Structure formats: structure tokens, C-alpha cells
Amino acid sequence: MSKPFYITTPIYYVNDRPHIGHTYTTVLADVIARFHRMRGEQVYFLTGTDEHGQKVEKAAAARGITPKALADEVVANYTELWKAMGMTHFRFIRTTDEDHKAQVQRLFKRLLDKGDIYKSVYKGLYSVSDEAYVTEMQAKELQAQGLAHQLVELEEETYFFRLSAYQDRLLKHYEEHPEFVQPDFRFNEVKRFVEGGLQDLSISRTSISWGIPVPGDEKHVIYVWFDALLNYLTGCPNDSWPPDLQIVGKDILRFHAVYWPAFLMAAGMFQPTTILAHGWWLMGEDKMSKSRGNVVRPDTLLRFGNDALRFYFMRDMPVGHDRSFSFEGFMDRLNADLANGLGNLASRTLSMLHRYRGGVVPLPTALDALDEAMAHQLLEVFPDYLEKARGNDFHAALDALWTYLRALDGYIVKAEPWKLAKDPANDPKLDAVLANLYRALRATALLVAPVMPGMAQTLWECLGHDTKVAEKTFHGFALDGPAIGPIGDPKPLFQRIDKEKELSELEPVAAPAEVKPALDVPEIRETVDADTFFKVDLRVGRILEAERVPKSDKLIRMKVDIGLEQRTIVGGIGKAYEPADLLHRLVVVVANLAPRRLMGIESHGMLLAASDNASKPYLVAPPDDAQPGFLVK
Ligand code: ME8
């Protein structure tokens, strides 16, 4: 028998309660775990908390409590939230658990004996805010950002892990295992980092007391990342090693794709795995994070239901990319897709089945071309959804399914079952329509069960089942099988949100903590007449490719789809944006600007950006439902 599918989330720091960033990661892991169970696999799912280190020590001191007391409090927050959201992890690991502490010390000792860990003196720069040693290059970057005050000169005794010895093995592994990091563009960042050369890694501190002591040299505590990463080993049952899928935010990809495999290689335990690095939830352009004070807490959104929040996360965030959160966008999505979309389709279908067929699902006897086409679409969308979900792309999977659900709405409009019901001569046609709709909903309940376990179960029961949909498997599911009995009573799947009311009652999310200097607003430019203005061809584009122009820190070469064609555009936005974060963004393009050459590349257009002239460009973003080619006027 094959080993269980082993999936992990990062273990979260206990210096703060969870926000929707942490919640998103755990939902993603839970959805994937549930999906694999419904593929008939055994699944082992691990999550937990990272409790040692200076951040926690300081946060506890500020509250006048011990670090362990703080950890206990925050852990309770996490475990209650995960319970309320129906997370299906098997263990919630804490780095203060006894078996973990023993594991970390055992492995430290083993690598020390082997020579992969050695004691030496670190002399150089240290970043106080990151709690990390800083290379010369990083120091220059910080200085350029005006953050030199965060750096101090340091000389201290520390244990090093011989990371430099693993550079070649890591690069070889990257080359042989293109599946090691998803998505690809994030993998490139990792490769470039390692190709740039690896320095040995300090993994102990004498300045911190809240941590696991180095065995036999107790004035040192083991530095957090060596301690934290090993949780995946401690928390893994014997039969599940290695992890199949490790989900992380892009902020901690380097630790997982460089340090973690190197530790395991040193321990002789490394085996291929996949690390899936997702993007960030942003507030405007900024990462949502506690230190910026701009977080949204999950309770604010859970008022609309656990299923709704899970659905929103999976439907709105293309894995790997950043996404701006807006409360309005959240409500629009739920109203459009759950109240109007699936909810409306289910209630119409169920009430027609009750009204026209007394709750008994008919067998289709005669399908016309339209009925055939709809039945066929189901046969296509079902495996397509499964394949996309298997690639962890629930965003695309749900998109495909909802396109199909919209097509079903159109089918009802065209078939006009209410007219068919008036004449018994139309019975075969009405049977075909009702059976098609029933089958579509039944398949939908099954497909969305990992994403919306509660709503899927409600729908499943409305369709007449008394079983648990989550216990079914996708494999062998008879899409055109007959109903097992009469359908149940219709129940509303999702209550439409009164957006205006919610917005008026909403507590504003704290603005980013930094104080922005007063703007030096430029004067309005000279008046132009409307004809002159309309000569400028502005249109919506989507960025398909983006890469830095060699030898320039400012220029990015992009391929942009503007509806009619794809254009090469070079933009001076490289200081404000990483190429990876530009992919798939909608932008406004000046499409009839004369081409010009920038560092040898011909640029055919320009992207509109707002700017205060002093700091950085802010790309102008059309709303999500705009399409490449739309004119802006
Ligand atoms: O880094 N958008 O813990 P942490 C999306 N203890 N995801 C976000 C997010 C955002 N704005 N903010 C946080 C640590 N996350 C370490 C990990 S693992 C051995 C040790 C999610 O509490 C995302 O998954 O800072 C990110 O990687 C993680 O929370 C960081 O959580």
C-alpha cells in the first residue's frame, strides 16, 4: 500500500492571534487534504505553532507574562478557530512539546558529531528587527532603504550549520526535480539565491533564553529556524515520511527550499517533496501583517459562514500570486457566486422537481441537441475540475465549474421549463432538463465538498442523500447514474448579503502604522480639449510575462495582452515591483504611443501608474472583471 499523503502548513508564531493570512494557508492545506481523501488516499495533515525565540519572549515581557503562558493563550485562539472552521489536521504540533524538544536536540547532536554543525565566532552586522545576521549585500540594501539604524556590529560565539557544503547538492536536486517548488517563477528566485553562493548558517544564540538549549552547552539556545523546521519531522508518523506537499507563504519559501532540505540532507533523511509557495493577501499594496497593523481577522468574515470564507479564499486567490483584500470584493464574490450562482440554481432546480415531478427525479428518455450539449459539458467539466484541483489550482478549478453553472442558468432560460410543464406532450423534454440539472448539482456537491464541506453536505441532503458527501470518492462516481430516491426539502444554501448595510456598519481596518509625509501635490496641467484627449488610446491589458532587463534595477520587460494582440512593453517599475508579482495583473496601457527603445529593447506602449513623484509608481488597476482590450475613456 502506498504511504499516506503527508501535507503540512507552516507553524505560526505565537506573538499574535491569527489573521486571514494564516487562515488562508490553513484553509488551502485543509482543502487539499480533503480533496486527497476524496481521491481515496489516506492523508496525514500537520499544523501547529512556533513558540520559541525573541519575538515571543518580547511580546510576553510586554504583557508581563511568561512566554509559555502567552503561547498557551495564542494556541487556544488557533485551536478554537481551526475547530470552528472544521480543519482536519491530525496533530497540532507545538515546538514546546516534549517530543519535539528531544528531537531537535537529538538531531543537533547528530550533526555536531558528524561535523555539519560546528562552533565558531560570528563577527559582522546584525539586523535587530529581523533577528538575523546580515551579509554585506543585504546591509547595502538596508542602507539604500534608509534602514541602516537597524544594523549593529556584533561579535559572538555561535554554532554554525555547514550550509555552504550543500550548495551543489541543492542545485543538483533543483535541476532533477522541477516539481520541488511550485509555482515555477518562485522556484527561479530560489535557484538564483543558491547560485549566488551559500554561507554557513548560524543556528544558536546566547542572547536569547526562550528556546531549546544546545545539548551540553546550555548557554546557547538553538535558533528558531533549526528548531521550527524540524517540526515537520517530529510531527510525522513513521509511515508517512517524507512530506508530499508543504504549503508556505512566499515570505518563508527560502527557509523551506534551501535550509530545510539541507538540514535533511545532512541528517541523511532527505527525499523529494513539493513546496507550494502561495502569495500574500494585501491591503491595498501592502502585505497584511501584524507589524503594519493592517490585518483583517477571520471572525470579521466568518459571520458570513465558514463555507463562504473558504470558498472566497479558494475562488479569489490564484495560488502563488498576491491578492488585494477588500471587504466589498468579498461580499460581491459571495453574492454573485453563492447567492445568485449556485444557491439560485439549486433552489430553482429543487423547487421545479417538487412542483413538476413531486420530488421524484425523472430519467431522461429523449435528449435534444441542447440537452445533449449540457450533459456533455458535465462530462468534460468534472475531470477538468479534478485535474486542476490535483495541481492545487482550486482557483482555476472553481472558475471552470462556475462557468458551467452559469451555462446551466442559460440552459434554463432557453429551455423554459415553466412553459414545457403546461403541456404533457412536452414531458420527455422537461424530464431531460430536470435530470440534467439534478445531475449537475449532484456532481457540484461532490466537487465542492473539500472547499465547502457544510454547504456541500446541505446540498447533498437536499438532493435526497442520507450519506456523507465527504466520505464519497471522485473515482468511479456515476455522473449519469439515477437518483437514489426522491429529493429532500429545499434549504437555502447561502443568504444574500446586504452589502450597503454591511459596509455602513463596518469597522475600518487600521491604516498602516507608518505616517506618510504630506503630499507635494503638483499643479493641474494646461487644459486640453476633449478631441485631443480622446486621441490617446487607453485600454485594459493583462501582464502575461515579466522579467528584469539585465543590468538595470529599474526596467522590467513585459508581455502584455491588450485584447487584439500581445505587446512588449518596458516599464520603469522595477524598484517598486518584483516581476513575479506583476504576472496576471490587469493594467491600463497607452496603446498608441510611438515605440521607443529602452536599453536595446523596443517598447510598444506604456503602463499607467499613479505617483507622488517622490516614492514609487503605483500601477493603475482596472477592476477584476474587466477584460484585456476594454477601452478606458
Ligand atoms: O513565519 N497573506 O510564522 P508566521 C498570506 N513561524 N499568508 C500570510 C500572510 C498574508 N498577508 N501573512 C502570514 C512564521 N501568512 C514561522 C514559520 S515554519 C517552520 C515557521 C501566512 O506566524 C503564510 O503562510 O509569521 C506565511 O508563510 C505564514 O503565515 C507566516 O506565519
Side-chain angles (χ1 to χ4, degrees), residues 485-608:
I487 59 164
D489 291 332
K491 285 194 204 121
L493 293 185
F494 185 77
Q495 202 68 46
R496 198 185 160 73
I497 305 173
D498 182 343
K499 195 170 132 190
E500 301 309 319
K501 177 168 161 285
E502 293 296 337
L503 283 177
S504 67
E505 289 170 4
L506 187 69
E507 279 181 37
V509 172
E514 69 196 276
V515 182
K516 298 226 161 121
L519 265 187
D520 185 10
V521 181
E523 292 297 318
I524 306 278
R525 293 179 190 164
E526 79 182 83
T527 304
V528 293
D529 57 37
D531 287 348
T532 312
F533 173 73
F534 285 122
K535 280 188 188 153
V536 183
D537 186 312
L538 297 174
R539 57 179 73 215
V540 174
R542 188 183 295 284
I543 302 179
L544 303 177
E545 290 172 13
E547 63 179 22
R548 288 193 178 277
V549 173
K551 301 204 190 82
S552 166
D553 56 353
K554 218 174 139 201
L555 295 183
I556 294 193
R557 190 195 66 81
M558 289 160 280
K559 185 181 275 179
V560 183
D561 174 9
I562 57 164
L564 301 169
E565 59 189 44
Q566 296 178 1
R567 292 274 183 94
T568 296
I569 297 180
V570 180
I573 52 176
K575 286 192 173 159
Y577 294 91
E578 282 302 322
D581 297 328
L582 291 169
L583 291 179
H584 304 298
R585 266 188 196 244
L586 286 177
V587 285
V588 178
V589 177
V590 186
N592 61 344
L593 198 66
R596 54 185 185 145
R597 286 188 90 73
L598 292 159
M599 295 201 57
I601 306 170
E602 186 136 310
S603 177
H604 296 266
M606 197 178 92
L607 304 189
L608 286 196

Side-chain angles (χ1 to χ4, degrees), residues 129-442:
S129 61
D130 291 343
E131 292 180 37
Y133 296 141
V134 173
T135 61
E136 264 177 40
M137 187 130 109
Q138 289 165 330
K140 275 192 194 135
E141 277 172 24
L142 287 172
Q143 275 152 357
Q145 292 164 23
L147 298 174
H149 60 278
Q150 291 185 356
L151 299 175
V152 290
E153 288 274 358
L154 199 72
E155 180 168 350
E156 70 172 354
E157 186 186 89
T158 178
Y159 285 87
F160 282 95
F161 172 74
R162 216 177 279 286
L163 184 63
S164 56
Y166 289 89
Q167 178 168 349
D168 292 343
R169 271 188 71 183
L170 286 168
L171 288 173
K172 183 162 178 285
H173 176 71
Y174 298 158
E175 203 178 304
E176 288 169 359
H177 291 275
E179 79 292 351
F180 181 54
V181 173
Q182 282 181 357
D184 285 352
F185 58 86
R186 298 255 174 255
F187 202 1
N188 294 336
E189 293 164 17
V190 171
K191 288 179 195 159
R192 275 202 298 274
F193 173 74
V194 176
E195 281 159 5
L198 292 178
Q199 297 184 354
D200 289 352
L201 189 71
S202 155
I203 54 165
S204 78
R205 292 283 184 280
T206 47
S207 53
I208 306 173
S209 55
W210 176 236
I212 304 173
V214 167
D217 193 359
E218 313 243 315
K219 73 175 193 300
H220 286 264
V221 304
I222 296 171
Y223 184 54
V224 283
W225 280 99
F226 187 81
D227 164 0
L229 287 162
L230 291 186
N231 90 83
Y232 304 127
L233 194 57
T234 312
C236 177
N238 287 338
D239 67 347
S240 300
W241 190 257
D244 292 273
L245 189 64
Q246 302 209 265
I247 299 187
V248 298
K250 66 178 187 181
D251 47 327
I252 55 173
L253 174 60
R254 188 180 292 176
F255 299 97
H256 285 80
V258 182
Y259 304 166
W260 171 226
F263 295 159
L264 288 173
M265 284 172 181
M269 299 190 69
F270 182 68
Q271 288 182 45
T273 173
T274 292
I275 297 169
L276 174 63
H278 65 70
W280 286 337
W281 285 98
L282 309 174
M283 287 302 274
E285 294 260 323
D286 291 319
K287 177 177 182 231
M288 191 181 290
S289 76
K290 182 183 181 227
S291 53
R292 292 187 168 98
N294 60 351
V295 297
V296 176
R297 303 285 177 190
D299 357 331
T300 320
L301 306 180
L302 279 171
R303 292 186 291 129
F304 303 102
N306 178 35
D307 290 300
L309 178 56
R310 292 172 64 106
F311 175 77
Y312 170 73
F313 279 152
M314 295 301 105
R315 177 82 174 88
D316 250 50
M317 175 80 118
V319 175
H321 298 281
D322 290 347
R323 189 93 178 94
S324 254
F325 175 81
S326 90
F327 195 51
E328 222 179 324
F330 171 76
M331 292 187 288
D332 283 343
R333 170 64 78 195
L334 300 183
N335 278 342
D337 284 5
L338 296 185
N340 296 351
L342 178 59
N344 190 31
L345 183 69
S347 90
R348 286 172 90 182
T349 304
L350 292 165
S351 64
M352 286 193 290
L353 278 165
H354 277 292
R355 194 172 327 133
Y356 305 139
R357 293 291 180 266
V360 177
V361 184
L363 277 178
T365 47
L367 302 186
D368 68 15
L370 183 61
D371 306 322
E372 286 281 7
M374 292 318 294
H376 187 74
Q377 266 195 44
L378 176 60
L379 298 182
E380 278 179 352
V381 76
F382 191 83
D384 183 38
Y385 182 101
L386 294 181
E387 194 186 317
K388 291 185 161 96
R390 178 71 187 92
N392 306 317
D393 194 350
F394 284 86
H395 172 75
L398 291 166
D399 201 41
L401 182 58
W402 254 257
T403 302
Y404 172 60
L405 297 183
R406 276 195 301 274
L408 289 169
D409 281 334
Y411 175 48
I412 298 180
V413 172
K414 276 196 207 129
E416 300 185 304
W418 48 91
K419 283 195 186 154
L420 297 175
K422 289 189 180 140
D423 181 354
N426 293 325
D427 271 2
K429 169 71 187 164
L430 184 58
D431 284 350
V433 174
L434 294 176
N436 258 346
L437 292 172
Y438 173 86
R439 289 171 182 179
L441 286 176
R442 183 175 57 183

